[in-house]
């Protein structure tokens, strides 16, 4: 069995609750399955959420700070961040539209990838 939709978990880190809702709607309209995790305050909370939800991609909307060491803790998950200022993320975007365009590009490469749940 293959998963038809790309699964993205969106979490907020050091931003107000609800900041990821607009991005989630953009991604949903592009045919992406979105899991909105809300505001998470620690790297451990992000890791537990990813373990429970089994996403293809984790998106973090960040404020002045960002979760340190997240990429090393989740080596099998694609990550992106949205926020102003410098970022340690490989895929860092200043606007939600840029992030949605990047996810749409990734989507074309992973649509036929089986879920970890069936491997």
């Amino acid at each position: 069995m293959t998963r038809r939709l790309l699964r993205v978990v969106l979490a907020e880190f050091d931003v107000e609750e609800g900041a990821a809702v607009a991005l989630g709607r953009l991604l949903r309209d592009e045919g992406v399955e979105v899991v909105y995790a809300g505001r998470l305050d620690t790297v451990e909370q992000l890791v537990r959420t990813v373990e429970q939800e089994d996403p293809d991609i984790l998106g973090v909307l960040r404020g002045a700070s960002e979760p340190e060491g997240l990429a090393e803790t989740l080596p099998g998950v694609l990550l992106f961040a949205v926020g102003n200022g410098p970022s340690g993320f490989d895929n860092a975007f200043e606007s939600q539209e840029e992030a949605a365009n990047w996810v749409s590009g990734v989507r074309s490469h992973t649509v036929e990838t089986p879920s970890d749940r069936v491997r």
Side-chain angles (χ1 to χ4, degrees):
M1 178 177 201
T2 58
R3 185 186 316 170
R4 288 307 219 196
L5 297 176
L6 184 67
R7 186 177 178 93
V8 176
V9 167
L10 293 180
E12 296 147 341
F13 192 86
D14 193 31
V15 294
E16 64 188 48
E17 185 86 24
V21 172
L23 177 57
R25 288 181 182 146
L26 283 171
L27 293 174
R28 180 200 62 204
D29 292 347
E30 290 290 323
V32 175
E33 179 183 1
V34 177
V35 176
Y36 173 65
R39 184 181 171 135
L40 302 175
D41 297 315
T42 66
V43 171
E44 292 77 23
Q45 290 174 328
L46 289 166
V47 169
R48 279 186 300 203
T49 300
V50 167
E51 289 171 349
Q52 291 172 4
E53 296 296 340
D54 187 30
D56 300 302
I57 302 174
L58 170 63
V60 178
L61 278 79
R62 62 182 184 83
S65 66
E66 68 179 39
E68 297 293 328
L70 188 59
E72 295 81 19
T73 308
L74 298 170
V77 178
L78 281 174
L79 302 171
F80 74 90
V82 178
N84 295 325
S87 175
F89 281 72
D90 289 337
N91 302 303
F93 306 99
E94 289 190 17
S95 76
Q96 294 183 4
E97 291 79 15
E98 290 175 315
N101 288 335
W102 178 80
V103 171
S104 294
V106 170
R107 180 177 176 257
S108 65
H109 299 290
T110 60
V111 167
E112 297 301 321
T113 302
S115 168
D116 286 340
R117 295 183 190 112
V118 297
R119 287 186 195 158

